[in-house]
Amino acid sequence: MMGVGRKPNTGQPAGVEPGDHAYMTMVARAKAMIPQLRDRAAKTEELRCLPPETERDLHDAGLFRIVQPKRVGGSELDYVSLLDCAEMLGRADASVAWNFANLASHHWMLGMFDQRAQDEVWDKDVNVLIASSFIFPAGRARKVAGGYRLRGNWPFSSGVASCEWNMLASVVSSDDEADGIEYRIFLVHKADYEIVDTWNAVGLRGTGSNDVEVKDAFVAEPMTVAVNDLAGGPTPGSEANPNALYALPVFSLFPYVLSGVALGNAQACLDDYVDIARYRVSTYNRAKLSDMQSTQIKIAEASAKIDAARLIMRSACIEAMADARQGYVPDVAAKTKSRRDGAFSVNLCTEAVSILFAASGARGLFTTGALQRQFRDAHAINSHLAFNFDAAGTNYGRVALGLPSENLTL
C-alpha cells in the first residue's frame, strides 16, 4: 500500500539535490527489504538482536555506510537520508530500523574525529560497525599523558554484540574544580570493554541494547573528541572530510538519528489498520468498519499526526544541511528548538499508534501479528530521553525566557 494521505513518490523528494541517484537508490533498497524484514520480525524479537541474515542484508545494500565519507567508500549522503531510510526499515521492523540508524550514524560521527582515529578504524575495515552509549554521567575519565583513563558502566548500547568499537560518553574529571565539567566521547575497542547481557525489554526487543562495562582503559587522545567540538562548524575531522555533513551540530540533531524509526513504525501501523478496516466487519453487529464514522475519524487523526511528524522531521534535517553549507552555526535558541521539534514529532507518532491500537479493539490483545509489536515499539522509542517532551520542552522554554540551557551537549 502506498500509505494513507501520501502522494505517489514519482518525483524528486524535497530537500534532495536534483539527480541524486545515490539517495534514491538507498531509499529504494531500504524499501525493498520491507517484506523479508516483516517476515523475520518474530525471530528478531526471539533472538533479542538482529538475525545474522538481516545484518548481512543491510551490509550488502550499503545502508550502514550512507553517511560515511566518500574518501573511504561511503555514500556521504545528506543527513535526511538517515531519516528516510530509517522510516522505510521502520515500516517493517522498528528494531531493525533502530540498529540501522544507530550504527550508520556512528560512521557520520567518526568522520568528525581526528583523522588518526578514522584511519585506525577504517584502514582495517571500512564496513566495521561501531556501537555507542551517550550517557555522560555513566563514565568517568581523567587526563593522563597521551590520553585518558576511562571507566564506567553504560546502558543501552544498541547492537553492541555486532560491533568492533564503541563510542562511550563520559564526564572528564579534574583535580581543579575551577576547570569546570568537560563532556567527551571516547572511541573504545571491544577488547577494552565487557558486554553485560541485560536486554530483556518490552519493546525494541531485537536491538540487543545491552550494557557495556569498562573497568580501566587507556584511550589515546586522538581517539576522543570533545562535545564542544561537535557543536556545529569545523571539527577535528574537517580537513579530511570537508563536506557540510560533517559540520552539523551533532547533539541538537540527535533526535533525528532515530526519529525516522518512530515514523516508519507509525506509518506501517496506519497502513495495516486501513487494509484491515476495508474489509473487516464488527464481531457483534456485522457492520462494516469502513462504514463507521469513528473508523474514518481515527484514520484521519492518525494520518494527520504522522504526516505532520514527517514534515517536521524532514524540514529540520534539510534546513540543518542548508545552514551547514552556508557556514552558519545555529545559536542555542535554534538548537533547543531542534530538540523540541524532534521530541514533539516522535510524540505525534506515538499518539497515532495509540489511537490505532485502541481503535483495533480486542484484535490488538493477541501476541501474534504486527499490531502489538508496533504498539510496544512505539512506546519503547518514545521512552528515549531524546523524545521526552517534558525535558526538551522545559529547556526550550528556559532559553526562550532568557535562562541558560540545561542541556550541556548543546
Side-chain angles (χ1 to χ4, degrees):
M1 181 178 172
M2 179 186 71
V4 176
R6 302 196 65 201
K7 296 179 180 178
N9 188 11
T10 56
Q12 194 77 15
V16 178
E17 292 297 320
D20 193 345
H21 299 298
Y23 163 86
M24 300 294 287
T25 297
M26 289 301 173
V27 173
R29 288 178 183 176
K31 185 176 181 179
M33 293 176 67
I34 292 175
Q36 64 195 42
L37 294 180
R38 290 194 73 148
D39 288 344
R40 291 179 195 155
K43 178 180 179 181
T44 301
E45 289 210 313
E46 182 181 356
L47 291 174
R48 296 185 295 123
C49 63
L50 298 193
E53 58 268 33
T54 295
E55 192 173 300
R56 184 73 265 152
D57 288 344
L58 292 168
H59 274 298
D60 290 346
L63 287 166
F64 282 130
R65 302 177 66 190
I66 61 171
V67 285
Q68 185 185 41
K70 282 185 178 179
R71 71 180 187 85
V72 293
S75 297
E76 203 170 291
L77 301 180
D78 278 8
Y79 190 71
V80 74
S81 65
L82 197 60
L83 186 147
D84 290 342
C85 289
E87 179 188 350
M88 287 300 167
L89 296 173
R91 296 188 191 191
D93 185 340
S95 288
V96 176
W98 185 271
N99 275 14
F100 150 74
N102 261 300
L103 303 181
S105 73
H106 301 148
H107 281 302
W108 166 61
M109 289 184 65
L110 182 55
M112 302 180 194
F113 276 66
D114 187 294
Q115 186 174 346
R116 287 171 288 179
Q118 299 177 43
D119 293 345
E120 175 69 18
V121 175
W122 287 328
D123 280 358
K124 295 175 182 176
D125 183 3
V126 293
N127 291 296
V128 70
L129 297 179
I130 306 164
S132 72
S133 180
F134 296 122
I135 301 176
F136 291 88
R140 285 294 181 272
R142 58 185 176 85
K143 193 81 172 69
V144 296
Y148 298 82
R149 302 299 309 188
L150 177 69
R151 62 181 173 83
N153 194 316
W154 290 262
F156 309 123
S157 189
S158 298
V160 64
S162 301
C163 296
E164 191 78 12
W165 296 86
N166 208 315
M167 292 182 178
L168 298 174
S170 179
V171 175
V172 179
S173 59
S174 170
D175 294 333
D176 184 359
E177 292 184 2
D179 290 344
I181 295 175
E182 183 189 21
Y183 279 5
R184 187 168 282 268
I185 298 170
F186 297 81
L187 189 58
V188 182
H189 189 264
K190 68 178 183 180
D192 289 323
Y193 60 81
E194 178 183 350
I195 299 173
V196 184
D197 188 353
T198 57
W199 192 245
N200 284 287
V202 70
L204 295 174
R205 286 182 56 81
T207 61
S209 301
N210 288 305
D211 291 8
V212 293
E213 181 181 8
V214 175
K215 293 182 178 177
D216 181 27
F218 172 76
V219 185
E221 177 78 32
M223 304 298 285
T224 77
V225 66
V227 167
N228 287 342
D229 288 335
L230 304 178
T235 68
S238 290
E239 186 174 348
N241 306 309
N243 190 320
L245 177 65
Y246 307 103
L248 292 171
V250 170
F251 285 98
S252 63
L253 292 173
F254 186 64
Y256 306 102
V257 169
L258 297 167
S259 65
V261 182
L263 183 62
N265 184 66
Q267 185 67 55
C269 188
L270 174 63
D271 293 348
D272 290 350
Y273 179 80
V274 171
D275 282 344
I276 290 169
R278 280 177 171 161
Y279 64 82
R280 187 181 170 199
V281 296
S282 171
T283 304
Y284 292 97
N285 60 13
R286 309 308 294 169
K288 292 180 63 178
L289 293 189
S290 60
D291 289 337
M292 295 181 180
Q293 186 182 59
S294 59
T295 299
Q296 298 157 5
I297 291 172
K298 297 305 182 188
I299 290 171
E301 184 179 2
S303 63
K305 289 178 183 290
I306 294 167
D307 288 350
R310 182 179 293 105
L311 182 61
I312 292 169
M313 293 175 192
R314 298 195 82 251
S315 294
C317 296
I318 292 164
E319 289 170 11
M321 282 297 307
D323 286 344
R325 287 192 173 100
Q326 295 172 9
Y328 171 73
V329 178
D331 59 16
V332 172
K335 289 177 178 179
T336 59
K337 178 181 181 295
S338 181
R339 295 292 298 230
R340 179 203 72 183
D341 290 353
F344 184 74
S345 57
V346 167
N347 285 195
L348 287 175
C349 293
T350 309
E351 291 167 7
V353 172
S354 294
I355 288 168
L356 297 167
F357 183 83
S360 297
R363 186 176 68 86
L365 301 178
F366 293 94
T367 56
T368 55
L371 178 59
Q372 49 80 30
R373 173 172 51 82
Q374 290 161 346
F375 180 80
R376 289 186 287 107
D377 286 346
H379 286 271
I381 295 164
N382 207 87
S383 69
H384 194 290
L385 181 60
F387 307 132
N388 184 314
F389 189 76
D390 286 352
T394 295
N395 202 43
Y396 175 83
R398 284 180 58 85
V399 173
L401 291 168
L403 299 172
S405 169
E406 290 185 327
N407 189 330
L408 299 181
T409 67
L410 301 183

